[in-house]
Amino acid sequence: MLDLADILAARRTISGTVARTPLVPSLHMGSVAGQDFLLKLENTQPIGAFKLRGAVNAVFNLGDGARGVTCCSTGNHGRGVAYAARARGIPAVICMSSLVPQTKVDGIRALGADVRITGRSQDDALAESLRLCEAEGLTEISPFDDPYVIAGQGTIGLELFEDRPDLDTILVPLSGGGLAGGVARAAKAIKPDVKVIGVSMDRGAAMHASLLAGHPVEVEEVASLADSLGGGIGLENRLSFALCRDYLDDVVLVTEEEIYRAMQTLYYEDRIVAEGACVVGIAAMQSGKLPKPKGPVATIITGRNVDMEVFTQVVTGRDVTLGDLTIKGRRYGA
Ligand SMILES: *Cc1c(COP(=O)(O)O)cnc(C)c1O
Protein backbone atom coordinates (compact mmCIF):
# COMPACT_ATOMS: atom_id res chain seq x y z
CA MET A 1 0.00 0.00 0.00
CA LEU A 2 2.72 2.46 1.03
CA ASP A 3 6.16 1.40 2.12
CA LEU A 4 9.46 2.81 3.25
CA ALA A 5 10.74 2.99 -0.34
CA ASP A 6 7.92 5.42 -1.25
CA ILE A 7 8.86 7.63 1.70
CA LEU A 8 12.57 7.53 0.81
CA ALA A 9 11.66 8.49 -2.77
CA ALA A 10 9.56 11.37 -1.43
CA ARG A 11 12.53 12.64 0.50
CA ARG A 12 14.63 12.83 -2.69
CA THR A 13 11.80 14.60 -4.50
CA ILE A 14 11.17 17.28 -1.88
CA SER A 15 14.72 18.05 -0.77
CA GLY A 16 15.69 21.49 -1.99
CA THR A 17 12.12 22.80 -1.86
CA VAL A 18 11.09 21.72 1.63
CA ALA A 19 13.13 22.48 4.78
CA ARG A 20 14.93 19.78 6.80
CA THR A 21 13.53 21.01 10.13
CA PRO A 22 15.26 21.03 13.55
CA LEU A 23 14.38 18.72 16.46
CA VAL A 24 14.89 20.68 19.68
CA PRO A 25 14.49 19.70 23.33
CA SER A 26 11.84 21.31 25.53
CA LEU A 27 13.37 21.40 29.01
CA HIS A 28 10.04 22.14 30.66
CA MET A 29 8.18 19.31 28.92
CA GLY A 30 11.14 17.02 29.61
CA SER A 31 10.58 17.55 33.32
CA VAL A 32 6.86 16.83 32.90
CA ALA A 33 7.52 13.64 30.92
CA GLY A 34 10.47 12.44 33.01
CA GLN A 35 12.29 11.80 29.70
CA ASP A 36 13.78 13.96 26.97
CA PHE A 37 10.89 15.67 25.19
CA LEU A 38 11.64 16.87 21.67
CA LEU A 39 9.85 19.30 19.38
CA LYS A 40 10.00 18.78 15.59
CA LEU A 41 9.71 22.34 14.34
CA GLU A 42 7.53 22.13 11.21
CA ASN A 43 6.41 25.67 12.02
CA THR A 44 9.74 26.69 10.41
CA GLN A 45 8.71 25.47 6.94
CA PRO A 46 8.46 28.22 4.29
CA ILE A 47 4.63 28.17 4.49
CA GLY A 48 4.69 27.76 8.30
CA ALA A 49 3.41 24.17 8.28
CA PHE A 50 4.42 20.58 7.42
CA LYS A 51 1.77 20.31 4.68
CA LEU A 52 4.37 21.58 2.23
CA ARG A 53 6.03 18.14 2.30
CA GLY A 54 3.04 16.23 0.95
CA ALA A 55 1.98 18.98 -1.45
CA VAL A 56 5.45 19.23 -3.03
CA ASN A 57 5.75 15.45 -3.39
CA ALA A 58 2.31 15.23 -5.04
CA VAL A 59 2.79 18.20 -7.37
CA PHE A 60 6.33 17.20 -8.41
CA ASN A 61 5.15 13.66 -9.22
CA LEU A 62 2.52 14.83 -11.73
CA GLY A 63 3.31 13.85 -15.32
CA ASP A 64 4.94 16.27 -17.78
CA GLY A 65 1.57 17.07 -19.32
CA ALA A 66 0.13 18.43 -16.05
CA ARG A 67 -1.86 21.60 -16.80
CA GLY A 68 -2.14 22.76 -13.21
CA VAL A 69 -3.51 21.82 -9.81
CA THR A 70 -6.51 22.72 -7.69
CA CYS A 71 -7.88 22.16 -4.19
CA CYS A 72 -10.44 23.77 -1.94
CA SER A 73 -8.47 24.06 1.32
CA THR A 74 -8.29 27.52 2.84
CA GLY A 75 -5.79 26.38 5.42
CA ASN A 76 -2.31 24.91 5.40
CA HIS A 77 -2.95 22.48 2.54
CA GLY A 78 -4.06 25.33 0.27
CA ARG A 79 -0.86 27.20 1.13
CA GLY A 80 1.21 24.10 0.46
CA VAL A 81 -0.37 23.43 -2.93
CA ALA A 82 0.06 27.08 -3.96
CA TYR A 83 3.73 27.09 -2.98
CA ALA A 84 4.44 23.71 -4.59
CA ALA A 85 2.80 24.69 -7.88
CA ARG A 86 4.81 27.90 -8.06
CA ALA A 87 8.02 25.94 -7.36
CA ARG A 88 7.17 23.55 -10.20
CA GLY A 89 6.06 26.40 -12.50
CA ILE A 90 2.47 25.33 -13.08
CA PRO A 91 -0.77 27.17 -12.18
CA ALA A 92 -2.69 26.51 -8.96
CA VAL A 93 -6.34 27.44 -8.54
CA ILE A 94 -7.52 27.42 -4.92
CA CYS A 95 -11.32 27.46 -4.63
CA MET A 96 -12.99 29.15 -1.65
CA SER A 97 -16.46 30.20 -0.59
CA SER A 98 -17.35 33.86 -0.17
CA LEU A 99 -17.38 33.36 3.62
CA VAL A 100 -13.60 32.88 3.83
CA PRO A 101 -11.90 35.87 5.55
CA GLN A 102 -9.95 38.25 3.31
CA THR A 103 -6.66 37.60 5.16
CA LYS A 104 -6.77 33.93 4.10
CA VAL A 105 -7.53 34.91 0.51
CA ASP A 106 -4.60 37.36 0.54
CA GLY A 107 -2.27 34.82 2.14
CA ILE A 108 -2.86 32.27 -0.60
CA ARG A 109 -2.72 34.88 -3.41
CA ALA A 110 0.64 36.04 -2.04
CA LEU A 111 1.97 32.53 -2.73
CA GLY A 112 1.16 33.03 -6.41
CA ALA A 113 -2.08 31.04 -6.65
CA ASP A 114 -5.24 32.04 -8.46
CA VAL A 115 -8.07 32.23 -5.90
CA ARG A 116 -11.58 31.53 -7.18
CA ILE A 117 -14.46 32.55 -4.92
CA THR A 118 -17.73 30.68 -5.49
CA GLY A 119 -20.83 30.02 -3.43
CA ARG A 120 -21.26 30.22 0.30
CA SER A 121 -19.98 26.89 1.63
CA GLN A 122 -17.02 24.56 1.53
CA ASP A 123 -19.18 22.18 -0.56
CA ASP A 124 -19.66 24.90 -3.19
CA ALA A 125 -15.88 25.45 -3.27
CA LEU A 126 -15.27 21.72 -3.66
CA ALA A 127 -17.81 21.54 -6.51
CA GLU A 128 -15.98 24.36 -8.31
CA SER A 129 -12.63 22.61 -7.76
CA LEU A 130 -14.01 19.38 -9.28
CA ARG A 131 -15.55 21.33 -12.18
CA LEU A 132 -12.11 22.82 -12.94
CA CYS A 133 -10.64 19.33 -13.11
CA GLU A 134 -13.15 18.46 -15.84
CA ALA A 135 -13.27 21.77 -17.69
CA GLU A 136 -9.65 22.91 -17.54
CA GLY A 137 -7.77 19.66 -17.06
CA LEU A 138 -6.47 20.59 -13.60
CA THR A 139 -5.55 17.88 -11.06
CA GLU A 140 -7.13 17.92 -7.60
CA ILE A 141 -4.68 17.28 -4.75
CA SER A 142 -6.27 15.69 -1.63
CA PRO A 143 -5.04 17.05 1.71
CA PHE A 144 -4.54 13.60 3.28
CA ASP A 145 -5.83 10.71 1.15
CA ASP A 146 -3.24 10.63 -1.62
CA PRO A 147 -0.23 8.27 -1.70
CA TYR A 148 2.25 11.03 -2.60
CA VAL A 149 0.88 13.37 0.06
CA ILE A 150 1.14 10.66 2.73
CA ALA A 151 4.67 9.67 1.64
CA GLY A 152 5.68 13.34 1.79
CA GLN A 153 4.39 13.74 5.35
CA GLY A 154 6.13 10.45 6.22
CA THR A 155 9.54 12.05 5.56
CA ILE A 156 9.19 13.61 9.03
CA GLY A 157 9.52 10.08 10.42
CA LEU A 158 12.87 9.60 8.62
CA GLU A 159 14.27 12.86 10.00
CA LEU A 160 13.11 12.07 13.56
CA PHE A 161 15.15 8.86 13.66
CA GLU A 162 18.20 10.39 12.01
CA ASP A 163 18.33 12.90 14.86
CA ARG A 164 17.22 10.58 17.70
CA PRO A 165 17.50 6.84 16.90
CA ASP A 166 16.53 6.12 20.52
CA LEU A 167 13.00 7.60 20.33
CA ASP A 168 10.47 5.67 22.42
CA THR A 169 7.24 7.53 21.62
CA ILE A 170 6.04 9.87 18.87
CA LEU A 171 2.95 12.04 19.49
CA VAL A 172 1.29 13.09 16.24
CA PRO A 173 -1.55 15.63 15.80
CA LEU A 174 -4.30 13.72 13.97
CA SER A 175 -7.04 14.89 11.62
CA GLY A 176 -7.41 13.22 8.19
CA GLY A 177 -4.48 10.98 9.07
CA GLY A 178 -2.08 11.74 6.22
CA LEU A 179 0.52 12.95 8.70
CA ALA A 180 -0.01 10.24 11.33
CA GLY A 181 -0.30 7.48 8.71
CA GLY A 182 2.89 8.52 6.91
CA VAL A 183 4.94 9.12 10.06
CA ALA A 184 3.77 5.87 11.67
CA ARG A 185 4.53 3.91 8.49
CA ALA A 186 8.08 5.29 8.33
CA ALA A 187 8.69 4.98 12.07
CA LYS A 188 7.56 1.36 12.35
CA ALA A 189 9.66 0.39 9.34
CA ILE A 190 12.75 1.87 11.01
CA LYS A 191 12.03 0.86 14.63
CA PRO A 192 9.11 -1.60 14.95
CA ASP A 193 8.72 -1.20 18.73
CA VAL A 194 8.45 2.64 18.75
CA LYS A 195 5.04 3.80 19.96
CA VAL A 196 3.18 6.20 17.66
CA ILE A 197 0.14 7.87 19.23
CA GLY A 198 -2.31 10.09 17.38
CA VAL A 199 -3.80 13.02 19.30
CA SER A 200 -7.02 14.88 18.40
CA MET A 201 -9.41 17.29 20.11
CA ASP A 202 -12.34 15.61 21.87
CA ARG A 203 -15.01 17.41 19.80
CA GLY A 204 -15.42 16.28 16.20
CA ALA A 205 -12.48 13.84 15.96
CA ALA A 206 -13.39 12.01 12.74
CA MET A 207 -10.49 9.53 12.62
CA HIS A 208 -10.98 8.50 16.24
CA ALA A 209 -14.71 7.86 15.68
CA SER A 210 -13.93 5.97 12.45
CA LEU A 211 -11.33 3.74 14.11
CA LEU A 212 -13.84 2.89 16.86
CA ALA A 213 -16.53 2.10 14.29
CA GLY A 214 -14.12 0.05 12.16
CA HIS A 215 -14.90 2.10 9.04
CA PRO A 216 -14.94 5.78 8.01
CA VAL A 217 -17.82 7.67 9.63
CA GLU A 218 -18.94 11.30 9.57
CA VAL A 219 -18.86 13.48 12.65
CA GLU A 220 -20.35 16.90 13.22
CA GLU A 221 -17.79 19.66 12.68
CA VAL A 222 -17.53 22.05 15.64
CA ALA A 223 -15.36 25.03 16.49
CA SER A 224 -12.04 24.24 18.15
CA LEU A 225 -8.80 25.95 19.11
CA ALA A 226 -7.26 23.18 17.01
CA ASP A 227 -9.07 24.34 13.87
CA SER A 228 -6.55 22.63 11.54
CA LEU A 229 -7.68 19.29 12.99
CA GLY A 230 -11.34 19.76 11.98
CA GLY A 231 -13.14 18.11 9.04
CA GLY A 232 -13.94 14.56 8.03
CA ILE A 233 -11.80 11.73 6.66
CA GLY A 234 -14.10 11.05 3.67
CA LEU A 235 -16.56 8.14 3.61
CA GLU A 236 -14.70 6.83 0.55
CA ASN A 237 -11.32 7.02 2.30
CA ARG A 238 -8.80 4.89 0.39
CA LEU A 239 -5.51 5.08 2.31
CA SER A 240 -5.17 7.15 5.47
CA PHE A 241 -7.83 5.27 7.45
CA ALA A 242 -6.20 1.87 6.87
CA LEU A 243 -2.72 3.26 7.66
CA CYS A 244 -3.89 4.76 10.96
CA ARG A 245 -5.75 1.53 11.82
CA ASP A 246 -2.73 -0.65 11.08
CA TYR A 247 0.17 1.50 12.33
CA LEU A 248 -1.00 3.74 15.18
CA ASP A 249 -0.71 2.28 18.68
CA ASP A 250 -3.43 4.49 20.13
CA VAL A 251 -5.43 7.69 19.69
CA VAL A 252 -5.81 10.07 22.64
CA LEU A 253 -8.30 12.97 22.85
CA VAL A 254 -7.71 16.30 24.60
CA THR A 255 -10.17 18.99 25.71
CA GLU A 256 -10.24 22.63 24.59
CA GLU A 257 -9.03 23.69 28.06
CA GLU A 258 -6.07 21.33 27.73
CA ILE A 259 -5.24 22.76 24.29
CA TYR A 260 -5.50 26.30 25.71
CA ARG A 261 -3.04 25.44 28.49
CA ALA A 262 -0.67 23.72 26.10
CA MET A 263 -0.56 26.79 23.80
CA GLN A 264 0.45 28.82 26.85
CA THR A 265 3.07 26.25 27.87
CA LEU A 266 4.71 26.18 24.44
CA TYR A 267 4.71 29.97 24.28
CA TYR A 268 5.99 30.77 27.80
CA GLU A 269 8.39 27.84 28.22
CA ASP A 270 9.76 27.49 24.68
CA ARG A 271 8.82 30.90 23.21
CA ILE A 272 7.06 29.33 20.22
CA VAL A 273 4.02 30.82 18.46
CA ALA A 274 1.94 27.89 17.29
CA GLU A 275 -1.53 26.77 16.25
CA GLY A 276 -3.81 24.92 18.64
CA ALA A 277 -3.56 21.89 16.34
CA CYS A 278 0.13 21.41 17.00
CA VAL A 279 0.12 21.50 20.80
CA VAL A 280 -2.19 18.50 21.24
CA GLY A 281 0.81 16.23 21.96
CA ILE A 282 1.93 18.60 24.71
CA ALA A 283 -1.66 18.76 25.99
CA ALA A 284 -1.89 14.96 26.16
CA MET A 285 1.39 14.70 28.09
CA GLN A 286 0.55 17.57 30.47
CA SER A 287 -2.88 16.21 31.30
CA GLY A 288 -1.51 12.80 32.33
CA LYS A 289 -3.46 10.97 29.61
CA LEU A 290 -0.42 9.06 28.35
CA PRO A 291 1.37 6.07 29.88
CA LYS A 292 4.73 6.97 31.42
CA PRO A 293 7.28 6.97 28.56
CA LYS A 294 10.30 4.64 28.85
CA GLY A 295 12.54 6.74 26.63
CA PRO A 296 12.67 10.00 24.63
CA VAL A 297 9.39 11.43 23.36
CA ALA A 298 8.95 13.59 20.24
CA THR A 299 5.96 15.60 19.10
CA ILE A 300 5.44 17.45 15.84
CA ILE A 301 4.89 21.21 16.05
CA THR A 302 2.86 21.08 12.85
CA GLY A 303 2.21 24.74 12.08
CA ARG A 304 2.28 28.39 13.11
CA ASN A 305 -0.61 29.79 11.05
CA VAL A 306 -2.73 30.75 14.03
CA ASP A 307 -5.24 33.62 14.12
CA MET A 308 -3.17 36.17 16.09
CA GLU A 309 -6.27 37.63 17.73
CA VAL A 310 -7.08 34.24 19.26
CA PHE A 311 -3.44 33.55 20.08
CA THR A 312 -3.14 36.84 21.97
CA GLN A 313 -6.28 36.04 23.96
CA VAL A 314 -4.85 32.66 24.93
CA VAL A 315 -1.40 33.80 26.00
CA THR A 316 -2.78 36.74 27.99
CA GLY A 317 -5.20 34.43 29.81
CA ARG A 318 -8.44 35.88 28.43
CA ASP A 319 -11.66 34.01 27.57
CA VAL A 320 -11.84 32.73 24.00
CA THR A 321 -15.14 32.37 22.14
CA LEU A 322 -15.24 30.31 18.95
CA GLY A 323 -18.69 29.61 17.52
CA ASP A 324 -20.79 28.03 20.30
CA LEU A 325 -17.71 27.37 22.42
CA THR A 326 -16.31 29.58 25.19
CA ILE A 327 -13.09 28.63 26.92
CA LYS A 328 -12.68 30.23 30.31
CA GLY A 329 -9.51 32.31 30.52
CA ARG A 330 -6.69 31.52 32.94
CA ARG A 331 -3.25 33.12 33.12
CA TYR A 332 -0.23 30.89 32.62
CA GLY A 333 0.99 29.51 35.94
CA ALA A 334 -2.19 30.58 37.77
C1 LIG B 1 -3.38 19.28 8.42
C2 LIG B 1 -2.82 19.58 9.74
C3 LIG B 1 -2.73 18.58 10.75
C4 LIG B 1 -3.29 17.18 10.60
O1 LIG B 1 -2.82 16.47 9.46
P1 LIG B 1 -3.67 15.27 8.85
O2 LIG B 1 -2.80 14.67 7.81
O3 LIG B 1 -4.93 15.86 8.28
O4 LIG B 1 -3.99 14.32 9.96
C5 LIG B 1 -2.14 18.93 11.95
N1 LIG B 1 -1.66 20.17 12.17
C6 LIG B 1 -1.73 21.15 11.25
C7 LIG B 1 -1.17 22.49 11.57
C8 LIG B 1 -2.31 20.89 9.99
O5 LIG B 1 -2.36 21.86 9.07
Side-chain angles (χ1 to χ4, degrees):
M1 178 160 75
L2 177 91
D3 58 31
L4 187 59
D6 299 312
I7 299 169
L8 291 165
R11 186 188 12 214
R12 288 190 294 276
T13 301
I14 70 175
S15 71
T17 308
V18 173
R20 166 67 171 90
T21 56
L23 183 68
V24 301
S26 166
L27 295 182
H28 173 79
M29 284 309 298
S31 70
V32 172
Q35 295 284 349
D36 284 357
F37 193 99
L38 302 138
L39 310 173
K40 179 69 169 160
L41 298 185
E42 289 298 304
N43 54 316
T44 63
Q45 289 291 354
I47 61 153
F50 76 92
K51 286 233 173 46
L52 190 59
R53 295 177 185 261
V56 167
N57 195 41
V59 169
F60 285 26
N61 270 292
L62 293 173
D64 285 339
R67 308 263 297 268
V69 289
T70 179
C71 71
C72 64
S73 160
T74 60
N76 289 323
H77 179 62
R79 289 173 189 255
V81 168
Y83 191 98
R86 185 171 63 178
R88 160 121 191 222
I90 58 174
V93 183
I94 313 295
C95 301
M96 301 181 188
S97 88
S98 59
L99 299 180
V100 170
Q102 190 62 34
T103 52
K104 289 201 168 185
V105 176
D106 295 344
I108 291 200
R109 274 204 181 118
L111 293 167
D114 182 2
V115 172
R116 209 153 303 175
I117 313 268
T118 31
R120 295 185 59 78
S121 73
Q122 186 69 5
D123 285 345
D124 294 339
L126 176 63
E128 173 65 5
S129 187
L130 296 177
R131 193 192 66 75
L132 288 172
C133 294
E134 284 284 314
E136 298 179 21
L138 303 184
T139 306
E140 146 102 354
I141 311 274
S142 160
F144 55 82
D145 203 23
D146 172 294
Y148 291 107
V149 168
I150 298 172
Q153 324 302 32
T155 59
I156 293 172
L158 306 178
E159 294 177 17
L160 285 173
F161 281 103
E162 278 166 9
D163 292 352
R164 284 303 293 257
D166 57 341
L167 280 182
D168 173 79
T169 303
I170 306 174
L171 306 174
V172 190
L174 173 63
S175 175
L179 175 65
V183 168
R185 185 70 192 89
K188 299 273 173 166
I190 296 168
K191 186 177 179 191
D193 65 346
V194 68
K195 284 179 280 308
V196 186
I197 299 175
V199 191
S200 302
M201 67 289 187
D202 65 353
R203 309 185 347 140
M207 184 62 84
H208 180 255
S210 300
L211 291 171
L212 280 183
H215 56 87
V217 294
E218 274 173 345
V219 294
E220 200 195 332
E221 203 172 329
V222 287
S224 170
L225 276 175
D227 54 304
S228 288
L229 299 186
I233 70 165
L235 292 177
E236 306 296 317
N237 189 292
R238 294 175 305 143
L239 295 166
S240 65
F241 171 74
L243 281 167
C244 288
R245 180 192 62 205
D246 295 348
Y247 292 101
L248 286 182
D249 293 278
D250 201 2
V251 176
V252 169
L253 303 182
V254 291
T255 66
E256 296 298 321
E257 285 72 24
E258 288 163 351
I259 296 170
Y260 182 104
R261 304 292 288 170
M263 288 174 78
Q264 292 185 328
T265 301
L266 188 65
Y267 181 68
Y268 285 105
E269 302 293 346
D270 299 289
R271 304 290 198 265
I272 293 173
V273 175
E275 297 181 39
C278 69
V279 300
V280 292
I282 291 172
M285 182 59 74
Q286 275 193 147
S287 60
K289 289 182 172 168
L290 298 171
K292 217 176 155 22
K294 297 193 178 63
V297 181
T299 192
I300 303 165
I301 303 303
T302 47
R304 65 164 183 243
N305 297 317
V306 60
D307 178 327
M308 286 309 283
E309 192 73 43
V310 172
F311 185 77
T312 306
Q313 288 166 355
V314 171
V315 298
T316 54
R318 279 182 275 156
D319 291 359
V320 177
T321 299
L322 302 164
D324 63 345
L325 165 80
T326 296
I327 307 157
K328 190 95 194 68
R330 196 158 129 204
R331 289 188 77 92
Y332 185 61

